[in-house]
Every structure is written in structure tokens, then in C-alpha cells.
């Protein structure tokens, strides 16, 4: 079975600016895959290469085994794109815009009308079918972009910042729609600046920086690489930090009535830490663990050397 997306050594530059610098990864069919990276990391350029809006300078990119340049039509017919920008014909009712979109992809008129109705119902704006795009609210416009991506019945749904600028309730509503589509078998590629979104929705995420893949892993695997905070309450007031000799401990400090231990893999380390303290003569009466968030790991992985140096100076 071919991957939904396969890219190997993908390169693209705009003059002296390198947007993609050997981008390489795969997305499995049926997977919910996240693409995370700071502004300028190359995410949108990569999407534009996939859908044929930008020609690559080198490397390969395939959608379900079809090369996005030499087999453009076969690849593009399998993709539904909900872009970040509102690039919509504003002079027709939205149901007509969807029908025209389906017709452009070779769908007969009767079937195009049915698909337009189904797509509008899926995203919850069927009652606005006779409304022009400009007259929709911001949240409804986001829903419409998703409907337009769905009207061609794609195997691969690409969502570029699909919930940017919408309120919390609408964001969660859209999450529900997207999750149902993925459960029904649609492969989804998501770019987002909302780390919570990636943590909730994605099977795996690729962290991209400066046009290169920094890491590909599940959200849980990435979180395990961060540093956790263990808050331990002891049966006595501490005047000094106990001696703790365990691999993975980054720092230990006294904070009021608590001993705070910063460690990699805090949940895994906790039993050994409790035994160590017991051996030293301390009794732990309470333990709370605050796991590293995906956002913290993401920031660490994409922080520049200058930013890291500045942060170190602040903490000294």
C-alpha cells in the first residue's frame, strides 16, 4: 500500500531564501498527521508543492504513489485543500461555488449538486446555501473552506491553519467534524499553530524548521523527551536540597513546603526517586507530576542558538 504522502529530499528556494531544504517524511494512508513549525518553516510552501501551485527545485513528492508534477492530475484529484487564505469567488451563492468546484474536477452536474448539499450539511451551514461568501461570518467562512475541500470527496484532506481566528466553541466543533472524517478513512494533513489542536487530533506530528524535518513522532513520544516537574511534599520542612543521584534529574530545589525535581521522563523516574528519598530518611506524603507539554518540546526543538543563549543568560 502506497503512503498517502511521500516526500524525499524536497527542495525549494525563492532567490536566496531557502523554503524547503531536503524535506523528507511519509504519511500513512488513513493517518491524521500534523505539520508543526514556526512561521517561515516551509509548511505552506510544502502544501503548495503538493497541490501544484509551486514547482519544486529538487527531490520528489508523491500523493498515493503519484508524482505531483509528472502525474499532476492523478495526484491532485485525490486532494482536498482548505487553505488559510479566503480565496473564494465572492459573486455566487456558496452552493454554486461548490458545484462549480466539483464540476471542475469532472463531477456531473446532478452529482455535483448532491455533493455540495452533503458538504454544507457536514460542516453545519446548509441553511446558508443561498448566501454569498462575503455575507458569511468569519467562523462560517472557515466552515465553507472545509466544505469546498470536501466536495471532491478527497482521499487526502489538507488543512492549513483551519481554525485560525475562530472562537473556542467553533474550534471544537470543527475538531469534531475533522475527527469523524478521519474515522471514516480520510487521510488528513494538518498545519496549525495551536499545539493543543495537534495533541488532541494527530496520530503523529512532524516538527519542521528552516525547511527541514527536525523530528517525526507521536505527541506522547515527543512529550517524553521534555522535562517533567515532580512536586514532592515531605514529612518535614527542608532546609536544604537532599542529595539525589539519579540519571535524568536535571535540577532539584526547595519551594516552600515542597521539593521540586525537574527530570526527563518524570513518570518513569518517580519510583526510583521515592526509593532514593526513603533511603536518605525522608518520607514523601504527596507526589504531583506535571508532564512536559508538546508546546514546551516544540519550543525547545525550534529555538535558535541565539534564543537559547539569551534564555540561558536570563536564568543565570
Amino acid at each position: 500500500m502506497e503512503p498517502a504522502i511521500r516526500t524525499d529530499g524536497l527542495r525549494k528556494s525563492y532567490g536566496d531564501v531557502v523554503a524547503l531544504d531536503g524535506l523528507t517524511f511519509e504519511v500513512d494512508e488513513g493517518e491524521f498527521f500534523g505539520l508543526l513549525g514556526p512561521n517561515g518553516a516551509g509548511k505552506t510552501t510544502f502544501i503548495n508543492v503538493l497541490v501544484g501551485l509551486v514547482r519544486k527545485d529538487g527531490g520528489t513528492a508523491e500523493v498515493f504513489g503519484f508524482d505531483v508534477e509528472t502525474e499532476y492530475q492523478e495526484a491532485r484529484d485525490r486532494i482536498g485543500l482548505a487553505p488559510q487564505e479566503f480565496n473564494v469567488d465572492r459573486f455566487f451563492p456558496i452552493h454554486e461555488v461548490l458545484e462549480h468546484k466539483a464540476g471542475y474536477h469532472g463531477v456531473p452536474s446532478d452529482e455535483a449538486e448532491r455533493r455540495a448539499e452533503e458538504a454544507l450539511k457536514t460542516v453545519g451551514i446548509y441553511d446558508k446555501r443561498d448566501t454569498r461568501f462575503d455575507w458569511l461570518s468569519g467562523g462560517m467562512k472557515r466552515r465553507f473552506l472545509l466544505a469546498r475541500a470536501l466536495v471532491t470527496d478527497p482521499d487526502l484532506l489538507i488543512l492549513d491553519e483551519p481554525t485560525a481566528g475562530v472562537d473556542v466553541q467553533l474550534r471544537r466543533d470543527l475538531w469534531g467534524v475533522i475527527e469523524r472524517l478521519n474515522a471514516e478513512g480520510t487521510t488528513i494533513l494538518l498545519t496549525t499553530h495551536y499545539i493543543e489542536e495537534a495533541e488532541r487530533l494527530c496520530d503523529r506530528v512532524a516538527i519542521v524548521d528552516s525547511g527541514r524535518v527536525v523530528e517525526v513522532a507521536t505527541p506522547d513520544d515527543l512529550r517524553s523527551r521534555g522535562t517533567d516537574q515532580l512536586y514532592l511534599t515531605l514529612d518535614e520542612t527542608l532546609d536544604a536540597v537532599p542529595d539525589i543521584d539519579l540519571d535524568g534529574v536535571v535540577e532539584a530545589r526547595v519551594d516552600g513546603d515542597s521539593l521540586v525535581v525537574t527530570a526527563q521522563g518524570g513518570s518513569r523516574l518517580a519510583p526510583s526517586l521515592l526509593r532514593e528519598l526513603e533511603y536518605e530518611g525522608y518520607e514523601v506524603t504527596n507526589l504531583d507530576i506535571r508532564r512536559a507539554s508538546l508546546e514546551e518540546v516544540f519550543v525547545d526543538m525550534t529555538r535558535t542558538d541565539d534564543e537559547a543563549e539569551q534564555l540561558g543568560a536570563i536564568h543565570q
Side-chain angles (χ1 to χ4, degrees), residues 209-225:
D209 195 19
S210 300
R212 297 185 297 273
V213 172
V214 177
E215 188 62 83
V216 178
T218 68
D220 277 344
D221 284 344
L222 288 172
R223 279 196 301 267
S224 70
R225 303 179 196 187

Side-chain angles (χ1 to χ4, degrees), residues 50-251:
L50 282 187
V51 300
L53 295 177
V54 168
R55 291 186 65 86
K56 59 184 173 59
D57 295 333
T60 60
E62 298 176 353
V63 173
F64 293 102
F66 296 105
D67 187 279
V68 298
E69 286 189 356
T70 61
E71 300 170 292
Y72 166 76
Q73 195 62 56
E74 292 88 344
R76 187 65 183 88
D77 282 346
R78 285 158 176 78
I79 298 173
L81 170 64
Q84 186 175 356
E85 300 83 9
F86 293 143
N87 57 346
V88 177
D89 191 327
R90 304 168 186 272
F91 298 102
F92 295 95
I94 58 174
H95 78 87
E96 290 188 22
V97 176
L98 296 186
E99 291 169 21
H100 294 161
K101 171 73 171 178
Y104 176 78
H105 284 263
V107 178
S109 58
D110 289 348
E111 175 65 9
E113 183 177 352
R114 186 195 67 79
R115 288 193 187 187
E117 291 185 358
E118 183 178 335
L120 292 172
K121 289 176 181 177
T122 296
V123 301
I125 56 171
Y126 180 72
D127 60 331
K128 302 294 182 181
R129 61 191 179 278
D130 294 321
T131 304
R132 286 168 47 177
F133 181 79
D134 277 350
W135 298 344
L136 298 177
S137 68
M140 289 181 182
K141 288 177 179 177
R142 285 289 168 202
R143 289 176 184 260
F144 174 76
L145 291 181
L146 178 55
R148 190 180 61 173
L150 295 176
V151 78
T152 59
D153 193 20
D155 299 313
L156 170 63
L157 180 61
I158 300 178
L159 307 174
D160 191 7
E161 301 287 346
T163 61
V166 304
D167 62 60
V168 174
Q169 184 58 54
L170 176 56
R171 183 176 302 134
R172 294 185 180 276
D173 289 346
L174 287 173
W175 287 354
V177 173
I178 296 166
E179 285 176 312
R180 287 196 300 273
L181 292 168
N182 181 240
E184 292 167 359
T186 304
T187 305
I188 297 178
L189 176 68
L190 168 75
T191 77
T192 180
H193 282 106
Y194 298 111
I195 305 299
E196 177 194 3
E197 197 162 66
E199 285 188 287
R200 167 169 168 167
L201 299 174
C202 296
D203 301 316
R204 291 189 301 153
V205 297
I207 294 180
V208 178
D209 195 19
S210 300
R212 297 185 297 273
V213 172
V214 177
E215 188 62 83
V216 178
T218 68
D220 277 344
D221 284 344
L222 288 172
R223 279 196 301 267
S224 70
R225 303 179 196 187
T227 53
D228 302 330
Q229 301 285 329
L230 294 86
Y231 293 82
L232 302 103
T233 304
L234 308 184
D235 63 344
E236 59 184 272
T237 301
L238 294 175
D239 297 321
V241 178
D243 291 331
I244 300 173
D245 184 19
L246 292 174
D247 291 338
V249 173
V250 176
E251 179 190 33

Side-chain angles (χ1 to χ4, degrees), residues 257-269:
D257 296 331
S258 298
L259 172 65
V260 183
V261 177
T262 302
Q264 290 187 318
S267 298
R268 172 186 52 80
L269 190 67

